[in-house]
Amino acid sequence: MDVTHNNCLIASIIKLMTASTQIEISTMGFLMSKSMDENMKKQQEFMLHNSRLQLERQIIMQNQMRERQMAMQIAWSREFLKYYGAFFSLATLGLTVGAIKRQKPGLFVPVVPLSFIMAYQMDMAYGTLVSRMKGEAENIMVGESERLDLPHGTPTFESIENVRRAKSPLSSILK
């Protein structure tokens, strides 16, 4: 009876130890799960922050590219103005001299359209044409935005993927 009583006592102790171990394991699992959830949340916040930074960088890069293109366009206009200015001066001088010597005022007529082109180029290169165009563009964007809509609307990921799949020779395999 002593041995049976000892065996029952040992069995009860083992059951208690197993139950407390299971409680500790489940508590550890809960703590690990909670910790993993916190880490996942931090990871998602980090990814969101990185995607915002990436978007800001893309916007800044696109703006810098636009500014460089505008600077190149203005520089081109100034360079063109130099050559056109020389041509305009020589043509005006020659036509004026020819009109006076031959006493034919009709020779002076080409100077009129050439002067309009000269005025436009000067306005583009050194004047306020670009700022006036910017103002007009802003007016169009505010008051006539429907004129800016693309045919078939703005491209979406799905529309781009459909075109890519249609053109891909592997499209039948990858579907």
Side-chain angles (χ1 to χ4, degrees), residues 34-51:
K34 188 176 178 182
S35 174
M36 288 175 63
D37 287 343
E38 289 173 5
N39 285 341
M40 183 187 278
K41 190 173 184 176
K42 287 180 182 176
Q43 183 69 20
Q44 288 173 341
E45 289 173 4
F46 178 74
M47 290 171 62
L48 179 63
H49 178 69
N50 274 346
S51 64

PDB file of all heavy atoms in Angstrom, residues 34-51:
ATOM      1  N   LYS A  34       2.210  38.094 -28.922  1.00  0.00           N
ATOM      2  CA  LYS A  34       2.051  39.527 -28.713  1.00  0.00           C
ATOM      3  C   LYS A  34       3.278  40.276 -29.215  1.00  0.00           C
ATOM      4  O   LYS A  34       3.167  41.301 -29.884  1.00  0.00           O
ATOM      5  CB  LYS A  34       1.824  39.798 -27.225  1.00  0.00           C
ATOM      6  CG  LYS A  34       1.464  41.210 -26.896  1.00  0.00           C
ATOM      7  CD  LYS A  34       1.171  41.361 -25.409  1.00  0.00           C
ATOM      8  CE  LYS A  34       0.848  42.781 -25.062  1.00  0.00           C
ATOM      9  NZ  LYS A  34       0.617  42.962 -23.629  1.00  0.00           N
ATOM     10  N   SER A  35       4.452  39.740 -28.932  1.00  0.00           N
ATOM     11  CA  SER A  35       5.697  40.352 -29.390  1.00  0.00           C
ATOM     12  C   SER A  35       5.789  40.336 -30.916  1.00  0.00           C
ATOM     13  O   SER A  35       6.207  41.312 -31.535  1.00  0.00           O
ATOM     14  CB  SER A  35       6.882  39.607 -28.779  1.00  0.00           C
ATOM     15  OG  SER A  35       8.095  40.088 -29.297  1.00  0.00           O
ATOM     16  N   MET A  36       5.364  39.226 -31.513  1.00  0.00           N
ATOM     17  CA  MET A  36       5.387  39.139 -32.979  1.00  0.00           C
ATOM     18  C   MET A  36       4.416  40.133 -33.596  1.00  0.00           C
ATOM     19  O   MET A  36       4.712  40.747 -34.619  1.00  0.00           O
ATOM     20  CB  MET A  36       5.080  37.712 -33.434  1.00  0.00           C
ATOM     21  CG  MET A  36       6.224  36.747 -33.155  1.00  0.00           C
ATOM     22  SD  MET A  36       5.829  35.052 -33.544  1.00  0.00           S
ATOM     23  CE  MET A  36       5.566  35.138 -35.292  1.00  0.00           C
ATOM     24  N   ASP A  37       3.248  40.300 -32.976  1.00  0.00           N
ATOM     25  CA  ASP A  37       2.274  41.279 -33.476  1.00  0.00           C
ATOM     26  C   ASP A  37       2.843  42.691 -33.402  1.00  0.00           C
ATOM     27  O   ASP A  37       2.684  43.488 -34.339  1.00  0.00           O
ATOM     28  CB  ASP A  37       0.972  41.207 -32.676  1.00  0.00           C
ATOM     29  CG  ASP A  37       0.147  39.983 -33.000  1.00  0.00           C
ATOM     30  OD1 ASP A  37       0.403  39.354 -34.046  1.00  0.00           O
ATOM     31  OD2 ASP A  37      -0.760  39.654 -32.206  1.00  0.00           O
ATOM     32  N   GLU A  38       3.513  43.003 -32.310  1.00  0.00           N
ATOM     33  CA  GLU A  38       4.129  44.331 -32.172  1.00  0.00           C
ATOM     34  C   GLU A  38       5.216  44.530 -33.224  1.00  0.00           C
ATOM     35  O   GLU A  38       5.305  45.602 -33.832  1.00  0.00           O
ATOM     36  CB  GLU A  38       4.708  44.501 -30.763  1.00  0.00           C
ATOM     37  CG  GLU A  38       3.660  44.642 -29.683  1.00  0.00           C
ATOM     38  CD  GLU A  38       4.263  44.632 -28.282  1.00  0.00           C
ATOM     39  OE1 GLU A  38       5.505  44.616 -28.154  1.00  0.00           O
ATOM     40  OE2 GLU A  38       3.473  44.649 -27.320  1.00  0.00           O
ATOM     41  N   ASN A  39       6.028  43.490 -33.438  1.00  0.00           N
ATOM     42  CA  ASN A  39       7.084  43.584 -34.451  1.00  0.00           C
ATOM     43  C   ASN A  39       6.493  43.758 -35.842  1.00  0.00           C
ATOM     44  O   ASN A  39       7.009  44.528 -36.653  1.00  0.00           O
ATOM     45  CB  ASN A  39       7.983  42.358 -34.403  1.00  0.00           C
ATOM     46  CG  ASN A  39       8.932  42.379 -33.229  1.00  0.00           C
ATOM     47  OD1 ASN A  39       9.182  43.439 -32.644  1.00  0.00           O
ATOM     48  ND2 ASN A  39       9.441  41.229 -32.857  1.00  0.00           N
ATOM     49  N   MET A  40       5.398  43.036 -36.113  1.00  0.00           N
ATOM     50  CA  MET A  40       4.764  43.156 -37.422  1.00  0.00           C
ATOM     51  C   MET A  40       4.211  44.559 -37.620  1.00  0.00           C
ATOM     52  O   MET A  40       4.350  45.145 -38.695  1.00  0.00           O
ATOM     53  CB  MET A  40       3.653  42.123 -37.580  1.00  0.00           C
ATOM     54  CG  MET A  40       3.001  42.164 -38.957  1.00  0.00           C
ATOM     55  SD  MET A  40       1.569  41.111 -39.095  1.00  0.00           S
ATOM     56  CE  MET A  40       2.330  39.551 -39.402  1.00  0.00           C
ATOM     57  N   LYS A  41       3.608  45.108 -36.577  1.00  0.00           N
ATOM     58  CA  LYS A  41       3.064  46.455 -36.655  1.00  0.00           C
ATOM     59  C   LYS A  41       4.183  47.470 -36.897  1.00  0.00           C
ATOM     60  O   LYS A  41       4.062  48.373 -37.724  1.00  0.00           O
ATOM     61  CB  LYS A  41       2.306  46.794 -35.374  1.00  0.00           C
ATOM     62  CG  LYS A  41       1.507  48.053 -35.450  1.00  0.00           C
ATOM     63  CD  LYS A  41       0.647  48.237 -34.223  1.00  0.00           C
ATOM     64  CE  LYS A  41      -0.216  49.467 -34.364  1.00  0.00           C
ATOM     65  NZ  LYS A  41      -1.127  49.647 -33.250  1.00  0.00           N
ATOM     66  N   LYS A  42       5.311  47.303 -36.183  1.00  0.00           N
ATOM     67  CA  LYS A  42       6.458  48.189 -36.385  1.00  0.00           C
ATOM     68  C   LYS A  42       7.001  48.055 -37.796  1.00  0.00           C
ATOM     69  O   LYS A  42       7.378  49.049 -38.424  1.00  0.00           O
ATOM     70  CB  LYS A  42       7.562  47.877 -35.365  1.00  0.00           C
ATOM     71  CG  LYS A  42       7.245  48.333 -33.963  1.00  0.00           C
ATOM     72  CD  LYS A  42       8.369  47.990 -33.006  1.00  0.00           C
ATOM     73  CE  LYS A  42       8.032  48.392 -31.587  1.00  0.00           C
ATOM     74  NZ  LYS A  42       9.084  47.985 -30.636  1.00  0.00           N
ATOM     75  N   GLN A  43       7.038  46.812 -38.302  1.00  0.00           N
ATOM     76  CA  GLN A  43       7.517  46.572 -39.662  1.00  0.00           C
ATOM     77  C   GLN A  43       6.604  47.257 -40.680  1.00  0.00           C
ATOM     78  O   GLN A  43       7.072  47.866 -41.643  1.00  0.00           O
ATOM     79  CB  GLN A  43       7.595  45.067 -39.929  1.00  0.00           C
ATOM     80  CG  GLN A  43       8.149  44.706 -41.287  1.00  0.00           C
ATOM     81  CD  GLN A  43       9.615  45.024 -41.415  1.00  0.00           C
ATOM     82  OE1 GLN A  43      10.333  45.165 -40.430  1.00  0.00           O
ATOM     83  NE2 GLN A  43      10.086  45.145 -42.635  1.00  0.00           N
ATOM     84  N   GLN A  44       5.292  47.188 -40.480  1.00  0.00           N
ATOM     85  CA  GLN A  44       4.348  47.833 -41.390  1.00  0.00           C
ATOM     86  C   GLN A  44       4.516  49.351 -41.357  1.00  0.00           C
ATOM     87  O   GLN A  44       4.476  50.007 -42.405  1.00  0.00           O
ATOM     88  CB  GLN A  44       2.915  47.451 -41.028  1.00  0.00           C
ATOM     89  CG  GLN A  44       2.570  46.027 -41.382  1.00  0.00           C
ATOM     90  CD  GLN A  44       1.205  45.619 -40.866  1.00  0.00           C
ATOM     91  OE1 GLN A  44       0.656  46.239 -39.967  1.00  0.00           O
ATOM     92  NE2 GLN A  44       0.655  44.547 -41.434  1.00  0.00           N
ATOM     93  N   GLU A  45       4.703  49.903 -40.160  1.00  0.00           N
ATOM     94  CA  GLU A  45       4.928  51.345 -40.047  1.00  0.00           C
ATOM     95  C   GLU A  45       6.223  51.740 -40.751  1.00  0.00           C
ATOM     96  O   GLU A  45       6.276  52.764 -41.436  1.00  0.00           O
ATOM     97  CB  GLU A  45       4.979  51.755 -38.569  1.00  0.00           C
ATOM     98  CG  GLU A  45       3.638  51.701 -37.873  1.00  0.00           C
ATOM     99  CD  GLU A  45       3.747  51.944 -36.367  1.00  0.00           C
ATOM    100  OE1 GLU A  45       4.862  52.233 -35.881  1.00  0.00           O
ATOM    101  OE2 GLU A  45       2.712  51.835 -35.688  1.00  0.00           O
ATOM    102  N   PHE A  46       7.241  50.921 -40.597  1.00  0.00           N
ATOM    103  CA  PHE A  46       8.523  51.175 -41.253  1.00  0.00           C
ATOM    104  C   PHE A  46       8.368  51.138 -42.775  1.00  0.00           C
ATOM    105  O   PHE A  46       8.894  52.003 -43.487  1.00  0.00           O
ATOM    106  CB  PHE A  46       9.552  50.140 -40.787  1.00  0.00           C
ATOM    107  CG  PHE A  46      10.894  50.266 -41.438  1.00  0.00           C
ATOM    108  CD1 PHE A  46      11.752  51.300 -41.093  1.00  0.00           C
ATOM    109  CD2 PHE A  46      11.308  49.349 -42.393  1.00  0.00           C
ATOM    110  CE1 PHE A  46      12.997  51.421 -41.686  1.00  0.00           C
ATOM    111  CE2 PHE A  46      12.539  49.467 -42.994  1.00  0.00           C
ATOM    112  CZ  PHE A  46      13.396  50.502 -42.641  1.00  0.00           C
ATOM    113  N   MET A  47       7.626  50.146 -43.271  1.00  0.00           N
ATOM    114  CA  MET A  47       7.407  50.033 -44.714  1.00  0.00           C
ATOM    115  C   MET A  47       6.612  51.224 -45.241  1.00  0.00           C
ATOM    116  O   MET A  47       6.906  51.743 -46.318  1.00  0.00           O
ATOM    117  CB  MET A  47       6.714  48.714 -45.036  1.00  0.00           C
ATOM    118  CG  MET A  47       7.601  47.490 -44.832  1.00  0.00           C
ATOM    119  SD  MET A  47       6.725  45.931 -44.955  1.00  0.00           S
ATOM    120  CE  MET A  47       6.139  45.979 -46.620  1.00  0.00           C
ATOM    121  N   LEU A  48       5.609  51.665 -44.475  1.00  0.00           N
ATOM    122  CA  LEU A  48       4.829  52.828 -44.878  1.00  0.00           C
ATOM    123  C   LEU A  48       5.707  54.071 -44.926  1.00  0.00           C
ATOM    124  O   LEU A  48       5.650  54.853 -45.879  1.00  0.00           O
ATOM    125  CB  LEU A  48       3.660  53.037 -43.910  1.00  0.00           C
ATOM    126  CG  LEU A  48       2.768  54.243 -44.188  1.00  0.00           C
ATOM    127  CD1 LEU A  48       2.073  54.094 -45.530  1.00  0.00           C
ATOM    128  CD2 LEU A  48       1.742  54.400 -43.071  1.00  0.00           C
ATOM    129  N   HIS A  49       6.541  54.239 -43.921  1.00  0.00           N
ATOM    130  CA  HIS A  49       7.461  55.379 -43.879  1.00  0.00           C
ATOM    131  C   HIS A  49       8.421  55.338 -45.078  1.00  0.00           C
ATOM    132  O   HIS A  49       8.652  56.361 -45.732  1.00  0.00           O
ATOM    133  CB  HIS A  49       8.248  55.358 -42.562  1.00  0.00           C
ATOM    134  CG  HIS A  49       9.259  56.450 -42.426  1.00  0.00           C
ATOM    135  ND1 HIS A  49       8.906  57.778 -42.268  1.00  0.00           N
ATOM    136  CD2 HIS A  49      10.616  56.415 -42.448  1.00  0.00           C
ATOM    137  CE1 HIS A  49      10.003  58.511 -42.199  1.00  0.00           C
ATOM    138  NE2 HIS A  49      11.045  57.704 -42.298  1.00  0.00           N
ATOM    139  N   ASN A  50       8.951  54.150 -45.382  1.00  0.00           N
ATOM    140  CA  ASN A  50       9.861  54.022 -46.525  1.00  0.00           C
ATOM    141  C   ASN A  50       9.158  54.306 -47.843  1.00  0.00           C
ATOM    142  O   ASN A  50       9.731  54.944 -48.734  1.00  0.00           O
ATOM    143  CB  ASN A  50      10.485  52.629 -46.552  1.00  0.00           C
ATOM    144  CG  ASN A  50      11.711  52.537 -45.692  1.00  0.00           C
ATOM    145  OD1 ASN A  50      12.263  53.548 -45.263  1.00  0.00           O
ATOM    146  ND2 ASN A  50      12.145  51.322 -45.413  1.00  0.00           N
ATOM    147  N   SER A  51       7.918  53.846 -47.976  1.00  0.00           N
ATOM    148  CA  SER A  51       7.205  54.110 -49.236  1.00  0.00           C
ATOM    149  C   SER A  51       6.916  55.599 -49.389  1.00  0.00           C
ATOM    150  O   SER A  51       6.975  56.136 -50.492  1.00  0.00           O
ATOM    151  CB  SER A  51       5.925  53.282 -49.323  1.00  0.00           C
ATOM    152  OG  SER A  51       5.021  53.660 -48.321  1.00  0.00           O
TER     153      SER A  51
END
